[in-house]
């Protein structure tokens, strides 16, 4: 299998193949999760008892969190596969499994037709997606980090969140379009199925593109040296030896994932279902915020390639810690434009971290455990903190205790600041 040699300058065609091949699967992962969050207010009563609207919504968001709980398992299974058999194989299997889960939700019968079994189907589909997507992100970000030129790794790996945000943007546009064309009643009756079916079918296209990717030089070099060794190295032993790096991944991810989920999933969901703002207007406000976020990502990645990873991370954690309460007040002011402005500001700061997180994580681990070492602690942090964010934020807000959630977010951001200040600068670190 052809590989990219160290020092090789990628042609425009090779760059496009790498970026699109990794990006499309990652975009579908984020599309799947965001579609669920956006359309939860519309399909909640299709899978749970419709007599209690808030209870049905909270049950739907609870399954959103349970799906995240499978991510650490998926990160270990697919990460081990990627570290043993190759990044490309893990990327192919993860996208296929995630797409199957999306199709299952889109075609599932409702609570009215089969009762609680509908809730079970939704749960199993989300567990399948959670496992698949737990392996998707570490596999794709490791592949991209190992392929990128060291001096441009921050900018290249920003493509992970560019593609992810594009997936979210497509999901949001689809939600806004369906809401504008058909209205809330149609979305609750059948319109919510459309984005899940689309996501499943796009997975087939993603599989076709990824079949053309080549394995990375760093992995092939490590595999060659491994075959010459008298004993195969243990992935678990390698993770234990790099436990400090794993702890840094968790510390950096906790505040980031809560902030990201709070402003991209929980905030619009709350505005639509609880505040009762116009769903089309809310989703269009998020579209604007996501577009600005997408533009900012590669710029922030380039800044880290020039000045280092630590300044970017400090701007994010300290900036969001200071602005958390003012942005909450702005978002709760009761106007769509104020919610949109709050989301935009939050995502601009988040771009400083999101653009370079894949590069930082890859730079913390050796090649033989890079995917597993990155994926498992990241997935644990996302499951514990990010996956519970929409439920926790909605529940606290319904009890007029939103300030507690904001304080919790600030505490996690300050932990991230401590990790940054005590950690190494990894800019342009060789991944050979």
């Amino acid at each position: 299998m052809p590989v990219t040699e160290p020092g090789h300058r990628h042609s425009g065609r090779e760059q496009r193949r790498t970026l699109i091949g990794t990006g499309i699967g990652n975009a579908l992962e984020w599309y799947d999760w965001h579609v669920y969050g956006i359309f939860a207010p519309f399909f909640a009563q299709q899978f749970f008892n419709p007599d209690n609207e808030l209870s049905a919504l909270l049950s739907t968001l609870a399954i959103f969190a349970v799906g995240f709980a499978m991510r650490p398992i998926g990160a270990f299974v697919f990460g081990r596969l990627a570290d043993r058999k190759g990044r490309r194989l893990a990327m192919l299997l993860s996208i296929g499994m995630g797409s199957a889960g999306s199709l299952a939700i889109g075609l599932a019968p409702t609570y009215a037709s089969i009762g609680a079994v509908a809730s079970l189907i939704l749960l199993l589909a989300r567990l399948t997606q959670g496992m698949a997507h737990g392996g998707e992100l570490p596999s794709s970000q490791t592949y991209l980090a190992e392929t990128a030129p060291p001096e441009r790794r921050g900018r290249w790996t920003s493509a992970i969140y560019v593609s992810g945000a594009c997936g979210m943007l497509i999901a949001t546009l689809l939600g806004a379009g369906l809401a504008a064309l058909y209205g809330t009643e149609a979305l609750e009756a059948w319109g919510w199925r459309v984005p899940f079916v689309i996501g499943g079918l796009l997975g087939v296209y993603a599989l076709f593109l990824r079949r053309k990717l080549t394995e990375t030089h760093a992995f092939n070099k490590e595999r060659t040296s491994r075959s010459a060794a008298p004993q195969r190295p243990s992935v678990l032993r390698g993770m234990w030896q790099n436990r400090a790096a794993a702890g840094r991944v968790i510390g950096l991810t906790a505040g980031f994932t809560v902030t990201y989920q709070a402003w991209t999933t929980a905030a619009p969901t709350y505005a639509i279902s609880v505040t009762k703002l116009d769903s089309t207007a809310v989703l269009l406000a998020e579209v604007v915020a996501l577009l600005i976020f997408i533009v900012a990502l590669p710029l922030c990645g380039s800044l880290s390639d020039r000045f280092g990873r630590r300044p970017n991370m400090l701007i994010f954690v300290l900036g969001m810690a200071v602005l958390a309460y003012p942005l909450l007040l702005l978002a709760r002011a009761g106007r769509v434009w104020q919610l949109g402005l709050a989301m935009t500001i939050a995502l601009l700061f988040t771009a400083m971290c999101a653009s370079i997180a894949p590069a930082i994580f890859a730079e913390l681990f050796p090649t033989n455990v890079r995917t597993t070492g990155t994926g498992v602690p990241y997935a644990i942090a996302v499951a514990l903190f990010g996956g519970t964010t929409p439920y926790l934020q909605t529940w606290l807000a319904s009890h007029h205790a939103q300030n507690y959630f904001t304080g919790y977010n600030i505490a996690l951001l300050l932990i991230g600041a401590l990790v940054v200040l005590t950690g190494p600068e990894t800019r342009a670190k060789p991944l050979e």
Side-chain angles (χ1 to χ4, degrees):
M1 183 178 292
V3 299
T4 301
E5 297 297 333
H8 172 72
R9 294 296 172 181
H10 297 260
S11 68
R13 182 179 180 182
E14 289 173 321
Q15 289 185 21
R16 286 192 298 273
R17 179 184 299 172
T18 298
L19 293 173
I20 294 174
T22 53
I24 189 168
N26 191 57
L28 280 173
E29 175 200 345
W30 291 52
Y31 169 91
D32 285 342
W33 289 94
H34 203 53
V35 156
Y36 189 97
I38 286 177
F39 285 86
F42 302 113
F43 69 76
Q45 297 178 67
Q46 299 292 336
F47 287 100
F48 296 94
N49 190 338
D51 294 337
N52 189 324
E53 183 178 346
L54 179 60
S55 176
L57 176 62
L58 288 173
S59 298
T60 305
L61 294 179
I63 287 186
F64 181 86
V66 170
F68 272 89
M70 286 297 291
R71 293 177 76 103
I73 299 174
F76 180 78
V77 172
F78 284 96
R80 192 170 184 272
L81 178 67
D83 287 333
R84 286 285 177 84
K85 302 296 183 181
R87 308 352 183 168
R88 177 179 173 273
L89 176 61
M91 289 164 63
L92 286 170
L93 294 178
S94 65
I95 192 61
M97 191 172 174
S99 298
S102 186
L103 278 175
I105 296 175
L107 301 177
T110 64
Y111 185 92
S113 60
I114 61 171
V117 177
S119 309
L120 178 61
I121 292 174
L122 178 65
L123 174 63
L124 292 176
R126 290 300 291 171
L127 291 177
T128 300
Q129 287 185 312
M131 184 170 181
H133 295 330
E136 166 62 32
L137 184 61
S139 299
S140 59
Q141 71 183 18
T142 297
Y143 183 92
L144 196 56
E146 290 180 347
T147 307
E151 72 280 4
R152 297 177 62 194
R153 191 177 297 133
R155 183 175 182 181
W156 269 55
T157 57
S158 71
I160 293 293
Y161 280 86
V162 169
S163 62
C166 285
M168 294 175 64
L169 182 63
I170 293 170
T172 306
L173 284 170
L174 191 56
L178 288 171
L181 287 173
Y182 300 107
T184 300
E185 289 187 6
L187 285 181
E188 291 175 346
W190 58 268
W192 61 269
R193 295 183 182 274
V194 174
F196 290 105
V197 173
I198 289 175
L201 295 178
L202 285 176
V204 178
Y205 181 59
L207 282 171
F208 173 77
L209 288 180
R210 285 191 167 181
R211 288 180 63 250
K212 297 183 179 181
L213 293 178
T214 59
E215 192 54 79
T216 69
H217 170 75
F219 174 78
N220 277 342
K221 181 180 177 181
E222 194 278 331
R223 179 167 55 183
T224 300
S225 64
R226 184 197 311 158
S227 63
Q231 185 177 3
R232 172 180 290 183
S234 167
V235 172
L236 290 175
R237 186 182 301 114
M239 289 187 64
W240 175 251
Q241 292 170 345
N242 291 275
R243 58 189 180 278
R248 293 189 183 281
V249 171
I250 292 176
L252 292 173
T253 301
F256 161 67
T257 188
V258 168
T259 302
Y260 192 81
Q261 290 294 335
W263 289 105
T264 59
T265 300
T269 299
Y270 179 86
I272 293 171
S273 60
V274 179
T275 309
K276 302 300 182 181
L277 292 179
D278 179 71
S279 59
T280 303
V282 169
L283 294 176
L284 287 176
E286 186 176 11
V287 165
V288 174
L290 286 173
L291 284 172
I292 295 173
F293 179 63
I294 290 169
V295 172
L297 282 167
L299 299 177
C300 294
S302 296
L303 285 175
S304 80
D305 287 331
R306 183 171 182 180
F307 300 108
R309 315 298 189 212
R310 295 177 73 185
N312 273 42
M313 295 299 295
L314 288 173
I315 289 172
F316 163 67
V317 292
L318 297 179
M320 282 305 303
V322 170
L323 291 175
Y325 277 110
L327 289 178
L328 172 65
L329 294 175
L330 182 62
R332 292 290 187 262
R335 295 180 178 87
V336 172
W337 74 265
Q338 291 170 313
L339 171 66
L341 179 59
M343 287 192 292
T344 300
I345 294 172
L347 287 180
L348 279 173
F349 277 89
T350 303
M352 298 296 290
C353 171
S355 60
I356 61 170
I360 293 175
F361 296 162
E363 290 160 350
L364 287 173
F365 292 91
T367 302
N368 66 307
V369 293
R370 182 165 293 131
T371 311
T372 312
T374 296
V376 172
Y378 176 84
I380 290 173
V382 168
L384 289 176
F385 302 105
T388 57
T389 292
Y391 182 94
L392 182 61
Q393 190 171 19
T394 301
W395 185 82
L396 287 173
S398 68
H399 289 77
H400 308 288
Q402 179 66 24
N403 287 343
Y404 289 106
F405 176 84
T406 304
Y408 160 73
N409 192 7
I410 291 173
L412 294 177
L413 289 166
L414 293 179
I415 291 172
L418 182 63
V419 172
V420 174
L421 291 172
T422 58
E425 174 57 67
T426 59
R427 176 171 63 98
K429 178 182 177 182
L431 298 184
E432 298 298 327

